[in-house]
């Protein structure tokens, strides 16, 4: 039975603590991890993340369950932040724990690829010069998701 | 009655995050509802002008144009998602 942990809020997360929480799982042999950050450049100051409360959590759980059907996982942790985030701050944490590295690493990649296309979040960029712009969906994200 | 929620730039362009309306006669699917909503005002028309560029959900599950919509449903319309 895979242990799924989902959260959507403005709070940050502690990668080491999150990882430590999975180290005691019986049979665990490895944990895949991905941390997504607010990428700077072009005068970007703040990223504002909006989501669809209720649907977001359900969509994230569905993605985690899909990964658990495909790989032999012991745990999945998905933490996604919303609200105002500054350049360099973490946005999203993905952890996948398994007995072996193949499942842990593949599932981690799968989870972040699907989070980008199948969970209702939207990013707005705010620049130092006052410009504001909604981020457009990228075809490469769709392609990465379809590759699974 | 149905509830329609708008997110991101769709919400900004329409000028509200939610509205409640009676499901019109003959409207039974998400695509048909989008067409009906675009006739409500100039703001709706502008925001929903390119339905191929929008996504949506019915009762918090991603919808396709043919997804059924029934009285009491919660419908959402939004741009393609950009999380992660």
């Amino acid at each position: 039975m895979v242990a799924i942990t989902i959260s959507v809020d403005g709070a940050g997360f502690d990668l080491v603590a999150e990882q430590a929480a999975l180290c005691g799982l019986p049979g665990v042999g490895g944990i895949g991890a991905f941390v997504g950050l607010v990428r700077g450049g072009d005068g970007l100051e703040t990223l504002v993340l909006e989501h669809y409360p209720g649907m977001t959590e359900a969509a994230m759980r569905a993605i985690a369950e899909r990964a658990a059907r495909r790989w032999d996982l012991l745990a999945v942790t998905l933490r996604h932040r919303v609200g105002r985030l500054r350049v360099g701050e973490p946005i999203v944490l993905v952890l996948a724990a398994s007995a072996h590295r193949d499942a842990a690493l593949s599932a981690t990649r799968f989870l972040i690829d699907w989070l980008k296309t199948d969970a209702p979040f939207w990013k707005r960029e705010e620049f130092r010069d006052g410009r504001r712009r909604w981020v457009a969906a990228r075809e490469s994200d769709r392609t990465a998701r379809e590759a699974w | 009655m149905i509830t329609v929620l708008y997110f991101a730039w769709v919400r900004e362009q329409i000028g509200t995050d939610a509205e409640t309306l009676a499901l019109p006669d003959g409207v039974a699917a998400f695509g048909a509802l989008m067409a009906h909503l675009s006739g409500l005002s100039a703001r709706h028309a502008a925001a929903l002008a390119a339905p191929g560029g929008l996504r949506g959900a019915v009762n918090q599950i991603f919808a396709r144009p043919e997804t059924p919509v029934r009285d009491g449903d919660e419908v959402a319309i939004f741009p393609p998602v950009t999380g992660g």
Side-chain angles (χ1 to χ4, degrees):
Chain A
M1 187 64 189
V2 58
I4 295 175
T5 304
I6 305 280
S7 70
V8 183
D9 53 43
F13 41 73
D14 180 342
L15 172 62
V16 174
E18 297 288 346
Q19 210 166 268
L22 306 185
C23 290
L25 291 167
V28 68
I31 300 170
F34 177 82
V35 178
L37 309 174
V38 180
R39 184 176 50 248
D42 198 25
L44 182 73
E45 199 164 57
T46 306
L47 201 59
V48 182
L49 274 121
E50 176 174 332
H51 76 119
Y52 182 173
M55 178 173 171
T56 311
E57 293 83 349
M60 290 169 72
R61 183 163 296 276
I63 293 168
E65 287 169 351
R66 184 178 283 264
R69 283 195 298 275
R70 186 154 169 181
W71 291 279
D72 201 0
L73 302 178
L74 296 166
V76 172
T77 299
L78 300 177
R79 297 202 184 278
H80 206 300
R81 298 176 72 191
V82 291
R84 302 178 66 82
L85 302 175
R86 300 183 67 85
V87 169
E89 282 197 81
I91 304 173
V92 61
L93 170 70
V94 175
L95 297 179
S98 182
H100 300 285
R101 70 182 181 282
D102 277 354
L105 290 171
S106 297
T108 299
R109 182 67 193 260
F110 171 95
L111 288 160
I112 186 58
D113 283 351
W114 276 63
L115 266 178
K116 284 192 169 280
T117 56
D118 287 68
F121 292 96
W122 301 275
K123 292 184 182 124
R124 194 182 73 212
E125 296 172 322
E126 296 184 355
F127 298 89
R128 265 193 292 281
D129 62 7
R131 281 180 300 135
R132 293 178 170 212
R133 159 177 97 188
W134 287 96
V135 174
R138 297 197 307 180
E139 187 54 35
S140 58
D141 287 338
R142 174 61 48 186
T143 308
R145 185 259 208 211
E146 297 303 328
W148 293 103
Chain B
M1 303 299 278
I2 59 168
T3 302
V4 183
L5 308 176
Y6 303 111
F7 292 95
W9 59 257
V10 178
R11 167 177 52 76
E12 290 183 343
Q13 284 199 13
I14 291 180
T16 184
D17 59 359
E19 54 190 333
T20 302
L21 61 144
L23 193 62
D25 287 341
V27 173
F30 177 71
L33 177 65
M34 287 260 280
H36 169 76
L37 291 169
S38 64
L40 290 182
S41 76
R43 283 171 165 265
H44 286 79
L48 307 177
L54 295 177
R55 300 288 180 272
V58 175
N59 297 327
Q60 304 194 354
I61 295 170
F62 284 107
R64 303 166 65 89
E66 63 274 20
T67 301
V69 177
R70 299 184 183 85
D71 191 43
D73 283 351
E74 177 180 293
V75 177
I77 298 173
F78 44 74
V81 303
T82 55

